[in-house]
Amino acid sequence: MPTVSSIPDPHLEKIRETLLMMSSLADRNLSLAIKALIERDDNLCDVVESEDSQLDKLEIQIDEQVVAHMALRAPKATDCRFVLVASKFSPILGRS
């Protein structure tokens, strides 16, 4: 029988998924921005700019998920640390 700590929390999983999606998009966007700069490609710059808007939306989504998790789930200390790191890390990804 699983212990309470081994049961996956769907709220935490959603935060993890969103953070991973955001980091992947930020990595791709950075690569495209470098390529656009080197190749002086205006169309690629437009793609980078539009994906930057998506990064902003994901940052807001992570913040909302963190607030909801903290308010509704009364998380234990390890979960609190994770959600706080997620909320502090997402703006950094958005600036990359």
Side-chain angles (χ1 to χ4, degrees), residues 53-72:
S53 298
Q54 181 64 24
L55 283 170
D56 294 340
K57 290 176 186 176
L58 288 171
E59 180 181 344
I60 291 167
Q61 186 178 345
I62 288 171
D63 284 344
E64 289 171 351
Q65 291 170 343
V66 165
V67 168
H69 182 74
M70 298 292 280
L72 301 174

Side-chain angles (χ1 to χ4, degrees), residues 36 39-48:
E39 296 177 3
R40 297 176 186 221
D41 184 338
D42 290 338
N43 293 328
L44 200 50
C45 286
D46 292 339
V47 171
V48 170

Side-chain angles (χ1 to χ4, degrees), residues 4-76:
V4 172
S5 61
S6 68
I7 299 172
D9 185 326
H11 291 108
L12 290 179
E13 289 302 315
K14 187 65 178 163
I15 293 170
R16 281 187 190 97
E17 289 171 8
T18 308
L19 194 57
L20 287 172
M21 184 184 337
M22 187 178 185
S23 64
S24 177
L25 183 59
D27 181 53
R28 179 177 183 274
N29 214 24
L30 181 59
S31 296
L32 288 176
I34 292 169
K35 184 177 180 181
L37 180 64
I38 291 171
E39 296 177 3
R40 297 176 186 221
D41 184 338
D42 290 338
N43 293 328
L44 200 50
C45 286
D46 292 339
V47 171
V48 170
E49 196 172 326
S50 69
E51 288 190 1
D52 190 55
S53 298
Q54 181 64 24
L55 283 170
D56 294 340
K57 290 176 186 176
L58 288 171
E59 180 181 344
I60 291 167
Q61 186 178 345
I62 288 171
D63 284 344
E64 289 171 351
Q65 291 170 343
V66 165
V67 168
H69 182 74
M70 298 292 280
L72 301 174
R73 305 294 292 182
K76 60 184 178 183

